[in-house]
Amino acid sequence: MKAIILAAGKGSRLGISTKDTPKPMIVINTKPILEHNIRMCKEAGITDIHINLHYLPEKIKNYFHDGSKFGVNIKYNYEPKILGTAGALIPFLNEIRDEK
């Protein structure tokens, strides 16, 4: 199974909390929010995860790399300009097209 996790947002409503940290990397219970999401995907049997990135993308990529440390495969898509929720899915269509 495959999953798409939308992680491109800056989190500007969170103020200073996201000045140097992308919103999905805010720590809750000792782990970034995105790590909680990835672990939940794995527990549900999802091993291929696609993540869109925009704000401070290297902080996310440097933490998760290819996902092997977490027992999943992660592919990233960088959005130079935020595409919005529906627009963010377009680059992943070919990856998930045959998923049932």
Side-chain angles (χ1 to χ4, degrees):
M1 290 180 64
K2 298 177 184 177
I4 297 172
I5 299 176
L6 304 179
K10 182 176 181 181
S12 56
R13 289 177 285 188
L14 296 172
I16 197 158
S17 298
T18 56
K19 181 179 182 251
D20 298 317
T21 303
K23 179 173 59 175
M25 296 303 288
I26 290 176
V27 174
I28 295 181
N29 291 331
T30 70
K31 295 182 188 84
I33 293 169
L34 187 54
E35 183 174 343
H36 290 285
N37 295 139
I38 289 169
R39 289 181 184 277
M40 284 189 287
C41 285
K42 184 179 180 210
E43 288 173 21
I46 298 168
T47 55
D48 293 315
I49 299 173
H50 304 276
I51 302 175
N52 76 323
L53 303 174
H54 174 74
Y55 181 65
L56 301 174
E58 294 307 317
K59 292 206 175 193
I60 293 173
K61 289 171 84 174
N62 289 341
Y63 186 90
F64 294 104
H65 301 281
D66 65 358
S68 58
K69 175 181 170 186
F70 302 92
V72 297
N73 304 307
I74 297 177
K75 291 184 183 176
Y76 301 97
N77 181 62
Y78 174 73
E79 296 178 12
K81 179 181 175 194
I82 293 283
L83 300 173
T85 302
L89 299 176
I90 292 170
F92 299 114
L93 283 179
N94 288 334
E95 297 285 341
I96 62 168
R97 186 169 311 263
D98 296 328
E99 198 64 24
K100 293 179 175 130

